[in-house]
Amino acid sequence: MTSHQIIFLFVDLALILLLARLLGMAAAKLGQPPVIGEVLAGILLGPTLFHGAISDTLVPTDVRPFLSALANVGVAIFMFIVGLELDKDLIGGRGRTAVSVSVLSIVLPFLLGMALAWFIHTNHHSAERTAFVLFMGAAMSVTAFPVLARILSDRGLQRTPLGAISLASAAMGDVIAWCLLAVVVARAGAANAGQLLILAVIPYLALMFLVVRPLLRRLTSRYEGAGELSLGVLATLLGGLLVSGAITEWLGLHFIFGAFLFGLVLPRDGVKALRDDVIKRVGQVSGVLLLPVYFIVAGLRVDLSHLDLSGLGELVLILLVAIGGKFLGAFLGARLSGMANRESAVLGTLMNTRGLTELIILSVGLEMGVLDDELYSLMVVMAVVTTAMAGPLLSLLRPQQAFLDERPRVTTPA
């Protein structure tokens, strides 16, 4: 690594921190999740403006591989936290409604996404039609569980019945969507990794649940209630998620699946304080530094400078499929469970939140050659739009006070 690269790397990291913070705060002032401002910071530094003159000057090409490496570490940690936050207790007594909403909000956009992919495939350079069709279906189906939780928390809705149902549905939907994406990635990567190596995923899963999970239970249970997280345990967890990610990458899947699975297998019973401490400590480092780096790297790949009428037409179709499929699926699932029209519409709006999770999926598709640069850019716009619209639509469909009224009332004895 040359002195020139070190200088630009440090300067770029400082610039990324500043832009992510400023635009994240601006987004929050407008009632949007900070992730919207951070993603826009990446796009503004990309080739969309001035044909890449800004990005080429501020982020030289010989520095980008180092930023990409940091971004990958940030994404691995993020996916570990996503797996760690998924908990069966979210479902509680809402299993029937959560299953109905999550399944239909996955199936309908998945089918519509495949239909759209079949229609537009000839307009894009993709490695293989079947992988492209399946990938587009999976990309349309995802809901960003962490961003949804942040929206509900910012509005004080996470403990309302409707908020709990949306979190449970998103958690279940995330598992389904990641499984679908794993199948797509396995198919697209089979030619590179070899069919026999892909089959090793099955014993790997058995190893994680039957061997690693009990070992983690023994490791973490002794520190419950100790008051602080041991550096040894923290180092073990971070090392474990990186090794797990490396294994799935070697097996022909993507490293995000290994990191996600490592968070998923961490025991829930008896280690809640430890888990919360891990999420807080690791999440802060990742959220402040590493994920903003990922947004910049993702934004550098977005190029809307050559968008023409044909591209605008595809963008409209993508938005219609993404928004309509997710909304109608969640709405129908809620109505079939006996919920009223307005509550069902609110669930449809919440389940449309995509955020960073969508960006990760799109980056996987771009890296594997399933998406080309043009379609990747259009899909990133879709991710930003569907996330940004959640707040205003929530205010329109359901005033905040009505949500607050749904909280359990605490009565004092006479």
Side-chain angles (χ1 to χ4, degrees):
M1 191 171 184
T2 66
S3 176
H4 168 270
Q5 291 171 326
I6 293 175
I7 292 172
F8 267 94
L9 177 62
F10 285 6
V11 171
D12 286 340
L13 287 175
L15 178 63
I16 288 169
L17 287 173
L18 178 62
L19 283 177
R21 183 63 177 166
L22 290 178
L23 292 184
M25 291 174 61
K29 289 288 186 181
L30 297 174
Q32 295 291 339
V35 66
I36 293 295
E38 293 167 351
V39 172
L40 289 177
I43 295 176
L44 290 176
L45 284 180
T48 297
L49 298 179
F50 306 109
H51 301 287
I54 297 178
S55 58
D56 291 341
T57 302
L58 297 178
V59 190
T61 55
D62 60 342
V63 175
R64 295 182 189 185
F66 301 104
L67 291 175
S68 296
L70 289 174
N72 286 336
V73 174
V75 169
I77 294 175
F78 173 79
M79 291 305 302
F80 166 71
I81 294 176
V82 170
L84 200 58
E85 288 181 326
L86 295 182
D87 196 334
K88 63 180 185 298
D89 292 338
L90 284 171
I91 300 176
R94 310 173 185 89
R96 179 172 174 268
T97 302
V99 169
S100 178
V101 172
S102 62
V103 170
L104 284 179
S105 68
I106 289 287
V107 171
L108 188 55
F110 184 80
L111 294 176
L112 291 176
M114 288 196 302
L116 175 63
W118 192 268
F119 177 70
I120 67 174
H121 178 262
T122 55
N123 298 333
H124 299 280
H125 303 288
S126 178
E128 199 254 339
R129 180 188 287 268
T130 302
F132 175 75
V133 170
L134 292 174
F135 180 88
M136 286 293 289
M140 294 294 185
S141 304
V142 70
T143 294
F145 175 83
V147 178
L148 173 60
R150 177 65 182 269
I151 291 175
L152 293 173
S153 177
D154 288 345
R155 291 173 171 257
L157 309 177
Q158 71 274 24
R159 298 189 182 276
T160 65
L162 202 54
I165 290 173
S166 64
L167 283 175
S169 301
M172 296 176 64
D174 259 13
V175 174
I176 297 173
W178 287 118
C179 290
L180 289 173
L181 184 63
V183 172
V184 177
V185 172
R187 178 180 176 85
N192 296 327
Q195 296 289 348
L196 293 179
L197 203 56
I198 290 294
L199 292 177
V201 170
I202 297 175
Y204 168 71
L205 292 175
L207 176 68
M208 292 296 290
F209 283 97
L210 300 179
V211 178
V212 174
R213 185 180 177 89
L215 289 176
L216 288 174
R217 182 180 287 110
R218 292 180 58 185
L219 174 70
T220 58
S221 60
R222 71 185 69 174
Y223 293 97
E224 178 66 11
E228 62 179 13
L229 178 63
S230 163
L231 291 179
V233 172
L234 181 59
T236 301
L237 294 178
L238 290 175
L241 78 90
L242 294 174
V243 170
S244 182
I247 292 174
T248 53
E249 184 77 24
W250 175 66
L251 291 176
L253 295 175
H254 200 275
F255 68 84
I256 60 174
F257 298 106
F260 173 76
L261 185 62
F262 193 81
L264 199 62
V265 301
L266 190 72
R268 268 53 172 172
D269 301 331
V271 292
K272 183 180 184 303
L274 176 69
R275 186 179 56 152
D276 293 343
D277 202 4
V278 171
I279 292 173
K280 180 180 179 181
R281 288 199 189 186
V282 178
Q284 284 179 339
V285 176
S286 178
V288 172
L289 176 62
L290 299 179
L291 284 182
V293 173
Y294 178 81
F295 296 138
I296 297 300
V297 172
L300 291 175
R301 300 171 177 175
V302 175
D303 187 1
L304 301 174
S305 61
H306 303 293
L307 189 63
D308 54 15
L309 288 179
S310 176
L312 285 174
E314 281 195 3
L315 178 59
V316 171
L317 289 176
I318 289 171
L319 289 172
L320 287 176
V321 168
I323 298 172
K326 203 68 171 167
F327 181 88
L328 289 176
F331 182 87
L332 291 175
R335 290 291 293 138
L336 290 174
S337 300
M339 296 185 68
N341 285 332
R342 178 164 293 194
E343 284 73 16
S344 300
V346 171
L347 272 177
T349 300
L350 289 171
M351 296 299 287
N352 250 304
T353 305
R354 287 178 170 85
L356 177 58
T357 307
E358 181 74 19
L359 293 180
I360 294 173
I361 291 178
L362 297 178
S363 294
V364 172
L366 184 62
E367 291 169 7
M368 301 194 70
V370 179
L371 297 181
D372 59 15
D373 292 336
E374 179 183 357
L375 187 55
Y376 169 81
S377 299
L378 297 179
M379 293 290 286
V380 169
V381 173
M382 179 272 291
V384 172
V385 171
T386 53
T387 305
M389 73 181 193
L393 286 180
L394 278 179
S395 300
L396 179 64
L397 291 170
R398 188 78 166 178
Q400 186 173 353
Q401 187 58 45
F403 274 115
L404 298 177
D405 290 342
E406 292 182 2
R407 291 178 177 176
R409 298 176 183 270
V410 179
T411 57
T412 55

